[in-house]
């Protein structure tokens, strides 16, 4: 008689200050529980609206961190855990980390950074980097509206038209496009500066005005070229009350498109929301998870914007994790990482080998 050892899944509680998401919701636990054993750290989903009883009802087991760490084949987290909560290297860790090349010294073939699937063909819901970026773009505009002290509509007061906020997106990734869409729905005048040939159509379909068409970015641009680019960008920023930045370069630190000289030219009260803060920032003065006030301009570097909409962000994150687990765990509870699968190959990286866990 053949006994298959069901894959052991551990779900961690997030400990980063302000992080309210959870990597797997009870709805997806219920779908996965028939073919794998799932243990969760108590309180893991409370901040996103899921109490422990919901996980128990869905078929998961409550367990201590030590138990999860010692018994799990796969450990799930939204953020890469701190070193004192890091899983053993034998266990697969699925999380969303930095997309920057090199990442962290704790990188290992068993660390599946979902950021590696950003924009990956056929990744679908497994591309949680993009779904979370969309949430961040939406939350960024709502956070800016709160900090600017404007009403939710931005446009009307007692049925009368007032001067709308002028908003500019610096970049055309998923977060910036969502920021444009959200700001426009709230009545803002929307503008964008993009750095790719295919960005114009996407921006204009959202009703935003494209500024400075035909400019490009690359990781090997010289300091002189970057300085010249900043000087071109600055005049487009000076009359905007809200600037959302999300410009990235594949495998490299985000380009510094706004420096202190640029900030000094902006009107006091301007809000800059830097959506690349976790990876270094598009503004040279961005501080992760801080608000820097300089020359009366506030540079917001929050990396927890998705947690402002924790329930929806967690649902989308969990859908991606569910899809990935469904891809690498069979109906008999057998774990198989197939190197011929492009998704698995992207997550494992060049040093990983196919792994099978079965009796």
């Amino acid at each position: 008689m053949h006994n298959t050892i069901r894959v052991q899944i551990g779900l961690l509680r997030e400990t980063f200050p302000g992080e309210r998401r959870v990597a797997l919701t009870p709805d997806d636990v219920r779908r996965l529980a028939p073919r794998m054993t799932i243990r969760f750290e108590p309180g893991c989903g409370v901040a996103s609206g899921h109490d422990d009883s919901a996980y128990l009802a869905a078929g998961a087991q409550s367990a201590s961190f030590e138990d999860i760490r010692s018994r799990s084949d796969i450990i799930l987290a939204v953020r890469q855990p701190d070193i004192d909560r890091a899983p053993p290297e034998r266990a697969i860790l699925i999380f969303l980390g930095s997309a920057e090349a090199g990442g962290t010294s704790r990188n290992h073939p068993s660390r599946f950074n979902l950021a590696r699937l950003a924009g990956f063909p056929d990744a679908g819901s497994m591309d949680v980097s993009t779904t979370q970026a969309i949430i961040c773009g939406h939350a960024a505009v709502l956070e800016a509206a709160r900090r600017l002290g404007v009403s939710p509509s931005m446009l009307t007061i007692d049925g009368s038209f007032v001067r709308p906020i002028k908003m500019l997106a610096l970049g055309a990734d998923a977060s910036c496009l969502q920021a444009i869409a959200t700001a426009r729905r709230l009545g803002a005048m929307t503008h964008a500066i993009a750095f790719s040939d295919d960005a114009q159509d996407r921006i204009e379909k959202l009703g935003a005005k494209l500024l400075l068409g035909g400019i490009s970015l690359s990781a090997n641009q010289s300091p002189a070229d970057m300085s010249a680019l900043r000087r071109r960008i600055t005049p487009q920023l000076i009359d905007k009350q809200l600037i959302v930045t999300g410009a990235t370069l594949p495998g490299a630190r985000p380009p510094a498109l706004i420096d202190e000289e640029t900030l000094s030219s902006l009107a006091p009260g301007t809000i800059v929301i830097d959506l690349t803060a976790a990876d270094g920032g598009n503004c040279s003065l961005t501080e992760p998870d801080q608000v820097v006030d300089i020359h009366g301009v506030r540079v917001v570097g929050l990396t927890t914007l998705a947690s402002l909409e924790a329930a929806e962000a967690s649902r989308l994150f969990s859908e991606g994790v569910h899809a990935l687990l469904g891809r690498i765990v069979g109906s008999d509870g057998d774990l198989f990482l197939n190197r011929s699968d492009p998704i698995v190959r992207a997550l494992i990286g060049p040093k990983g080998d196919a792994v099978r866990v079965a009796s």
Side-chain angles (χ1 to χ4, degrees):
M1 182 176 177
H2 177 74
N3 283 324
T4 298
I5 300 175
R6 291 181 11 138
V7 171
Q8 307 291 302
I9 306 293
L11 175 60
L12 296 187
R13 175 175 52 82
E14 300 299 317
T15 60
F16 187 86
E19 181 55 74
R20 301 174 61 236
R21 293 172 292 176
V22 67
L24 196 66
T25 65
D27 282 345
D28 286 312
V29 167
R30 186 174 295 106
R31 298 182 182 104
L32 294 169
R35 52 179 161 154
M36 57 193 77
T37 299
I38 302 174
R39 296 180 180 87
F40 68 94
E41 196 173 5
C44 65
V46 170
S48 58
H50 308 292
D51 60 24
D52 292 353
S53 63
Y55 283 98
L56 293 170
Q61 305 170 18
S62 179
S64 68
F65 167 73
E66 292 75 16
D67 193 27
I68 288 173
R69 189 181 188 279
S70 64
R71 299 177 66 178
S72 298
D73 302 307
I74 301 174
I75 292 180
L76 310 176
V78 174
R79 293 177 181 253
Q80 185 169 19
D82 291 335
I83 192 68
D84 60 343
R85 284 171 59 84
E89 290 193 349
R90 64 163 181 79
I92 294 171
L93 172 66
I94 298 176
F95 69 103
L96 179 61
S98 170
E100 185 178 349
T104 167
S105 61
R106 285 180 278 146
N107 273 352
H108 183 274
S110 65
R111 292 344 186 204
F112 285 13
N113 181 358
L114 295 171
R116 296 171 187 163
L117 299 181
F120 199 90
D122 302 321
S125 64
M126 289 179 285
D127 182 3
V128 301
S129 183
T130 296
T131 61
Q132 298 303 295
I134 291 170
I135 294 286
C136 286
H138 183 263
V141 173
L142 298 184
E143 175 67 9
R146 184 184 70 82
R147 291 179 180 272
L148 286 166
V150 299
S151 64
S153 70
M154 287 188 180
L155 184 61
T156 62
I157 297 177
D158 296 329
S160 301
F161 283 97
V162 298
R163 186 173 62 181
I165 295 294
K166 291 183 179 179
M167 174 269 189
L168 182 140
L170 198 51
D173 73 332
S175 64
C176 284
L177 293 175
Q178 183 60 50
I180 290 170
T182 301
R184 185 166 177 79
R185 284 197 297 271
L186 295 179
M189 296 175 63
T190 53
H191 310 76
I193 296 175
F195 307 96
S196 61
D197 292 337
D198 62 346
Q200 181 169 351
D201 285 345
R202 288 179 288 165
I203 288 168
E204 292 182 344
K205 282 179 181 178
L206 292 172
K209 181 177 180 181
L210 181 69
L211 307 176
L212 297 182
I215 59 175
S216 61
L217 273 175
S218 68
N220 59 2
Q221 280 182 287
S222 69
D225 287 341
M226 286 302 301
S227 179
L229 179 57
R230 284 193 291 270
R231 302 291 77 78
R232 287 190 64 191
I233 289 173
T234 297
Q236 307 300 324
L237 307 182
I238 58 176
D239 64 338
K240 309 301 187 293
Q241 290 81 48
L242 169 59
I243 300 164
V244 176
T245 76
T248 59
L249 294 169
R253 180 188 174 97
L257 299 174
I258 299 175
D259 58 11
E260 184 171 358
E261 183 179 350
T262 300
L263 291 174
S264 69
S265 70
L266 303 182
T270 300
I271 298 285
V272 178
I273 306 277
D274 194 339
L275 296 177
T276 68
D279 296 325
N282 287 143
C283 177
S284 61
L285 298 181
T286 296
E287 294 287 344
D289 297 298
Q290 302 292 326
V291 178
V292 177
D293 192 327
I294 184 165
H295 306 299
V297 175
R298 286 169 286 176
V299 180
V300 180
L302 298 181
T303 68
T304 54
L305 285 168
S307 286
L308 298 178
E309 302 178 19
E312 181 66 6
S314 296
R315 182 185 69 80
L316 294 170
F317 198 107
S318 180
E319 284 183 358
V321 171
H322 173 203
L324 176 58
L325 291 175
R327 197 177 186 109
I328 64 177
V329 179
S331 59
D332 58 356
D334 197 30
L335 170 64
F336 182 59
L337 303 181
N338 182 2
R339 283 297 299 271
S340 66
D341 183 336
I343 294 290
V344 172
R345 192 163 57 245
L347 290 171
I348 292 176
K351 296 182 180 179
D353 296 315
V355 176
R356 190 175 182 85
V357 179
S359 62

